[in-house]
Amino acid sequence: FHVDGIPTLVIKQKIGFINKKLSDILTSIPNLKCSMEVDEKEVNIVVENSKSGKVPVELSSGSEKTFCSLALKLALFEAAEIPVADLFILDEPATSLDKKSLEKFIAMLNFLKSTVKHVLVVSHIEELKDSVDDCILLKRKEKITYEKN
């Protein structure tokens, strides 16, 4: 963001609200905090965990980036106070997650489902199937099947 741009001005005005929302959203992810910091020159996103302490999001792990990215999108939607679509699409959001992080992602997905009316997840990860309400399986050279959980 440019330091004098409209997004930065909105973030500066709503920084407390945004950081509170980030904290609320990430409560299902133990030992992870994400926040925005604004100074005269820039807006920074920082990640804090029990292992590394506080680091810029660029230096955080892949799973931390995934969780903070989702939480930040939700927090900014609310802070913007504009009508938002009731559909949230996640395309391969858990591809880089290990088994432990995948469990945390599923907890965050459940939070997301309670916040947004419709969540569409595109994934090759079989474990996510049990976390969704409906599942459409696409198989190459075979028929499309629909499963209701």
Side-chain angles (χ1 to χ4, degrees):
F1 302 122
H2 187 276
V3 71
D4 295 323
I6 292 174
T8 303
L9 293 173
V10 171
I11 290 170
K12 284 179 180 180
Q13 290 174 352
K14 305 238 178 181
I15 192 76
F17 176 85
I18 293 168
N19 284 334
K20 170 79 170 90
K21 278 291 171 192
L22 285 170
S23 177
D24 293 346
I25 293 165
L26 291 172
T27 56
S28 64
I29 312 297
N31 304 316
L32 177 64
K33 294 179 183 174
C34 178
S35 60
M36 294 187 86
E37 296 177 350
V38 182
D39 61 28
E40 302 81 40
K41 295 181 181 180
E42 59 190 0
V43 175
N44 294 305
I45 301 167
V46 294
V47 174
E48 187 175 350
N49 66 35
S50 57
K51 189 169 30 170
S52 314
K54 200 173 187 180
V55 297
V57 71
E58 299 87 23
L59 301 178
S60 64
S61 72
S63 63
E64 290 170 337
K65 287 176 187 171
T66 298
F67 299 135
C68 288
S69 170
L70 285 172
L72 189 57
K73 286 176 183 145
L74 290 171
L76 290 174
F77 282 155
E78 287 195 43
E81 295 180 5
I82 56 175
V84 249
D86 58 358
L87 173 64
F88 203 91
I89 300 173
L90 300 168
D91 186 12
E92 298 289 352
T95 306
S96 65
L97 302 180
D98 60 21
K99 192 164 185 75
K100 186 177 177 183
S101 296
L102 184 60
E103 291 170 8
K104 294 176 183 177
F105 176 78
I106 290 170
M108 190 162 194
L109 181 60
N110 289 329
F111 174 84
L112 186 61
K113 288 173 17 182
S114 72
T115 307
V116 180
K117 188 173 183 178
H118 302 286
V119 179
L120 176 65
V121 180
V122 178
S123 181
H124 292 90
I125 298 174
E126 190 72 23
E127 292 87 352
L128 287 178
K129 219 169 103 173
D130 295 332
S131 303
V132 298
D133 299 327
D134 300 296
C135 184
I136 299 172
L137 299 173
L138 301 176
K139 295 183 180 180
R140 189 171 278 164
K141 297 182 182 180
E142 292 182 30
K143 65 180 182 176
I144 297 172
T145 59
Y146 171 79
E147 296 177 10
K148 182 142 179 95
N149 288 345

